[in-house]
Amino acid sequence: MSIVSVGSDLARIDRITDAIERRGQSILDRLFTPEEQAYCEARKERFTHYAGRFAVKEAVMKVLGTGWARGVRWVDIEVRREPGSAPQLHLHGRAAEHGRDLGIRKIHITITHDGGLAMAVAIAED
């Protein structure tokens, strides 16, 4: 297996917090799957976790080369985390199609946050 592409993103946690507080459930439903929302809402620092997942979605859009276009929806890129394990990426819909077209078999992700920022890196392999 070899690396197909790499993407990264940095998100300001206060920017995500402001957007969620201002637009409420409508923005949550547009950006995050029900499972992602449940995970974040169960955390003490929920906005930090939302920002991390937002950064992952941006990083993956860079990996796929789609940006916010080509029919890829935010909820087509999903971060799941089982207790005691690292976050895992799941693609749905057009994002999954673009991944297949690029020959991507797996996208590894990592998320970190500190100092009011959330950062994500996505590495796609064939």
Side-chain angles (χ1 to χ4, degrees):
M1 289 188 241
S2 61
I3 293 175
V4 174
S5 74
V6 176
S8 67
D9 192 66
L10 190 63
R12 287 184 25 218
I13 296 168
D14 66 342
R15 181 174 166 250
I16 300 302
T17 301
D18 290 346
I20 293 170
E21 288 179 340
R22 196 174 54 252
R23 296 180 60 197
Q25 194 62 46
S26 66
I27 196 166
L28 289 174
D29 291 341
R30 184 173 157 241
L31 297 177
F32 304 102
T33 67
E35 291 81 8
E36 289 173 315
Q37 291 179 46
Y39 177 86
C40 293
E41 291 297 324
R43 301 293 171 266
K44 181 179 178 185
E45 300 293 330
R46 67 186 177 117
F47 295 118
T48 298
H49 293 277
Y50 278 123
R53 276 149 182 73
F54 182 83
V56 166
K57 292 167 187 275
E58 290 270 0
V60 170
M61 286 180 184
K62 292 171 184 171
V63 162
L64 297 174
T66 62
W68 300 329
R70 299 188 190 170
V72 174
R73 301 172 308 144
W74 295 99
V75 294
D76 288 343
I77 302 166
E78 180 179 29
V79 178
R80 295 185 196 158
R81 184 167 183 267
E82 297 299 321
S85 67
Q88 299 291 314
L89 185 77
H90 297 270
L91 297 179
H92 311 285
R94 295 288 294 147
E97 290 175 24
H98 284 294
R100 281 191 297 277
D101 291 347
L102 293 170
I104 294 171
R105 293 184 52 189
K106 181 167 178 70
I107 300 177
H108 303 271
I109 58 172
T110 186
I111 309 167
T112 189
H113 31 74
D114 189 34
L117 298 170
M119 182 187 161
V121 175
I123 301 172
E125 66 180 11
D126 61 10

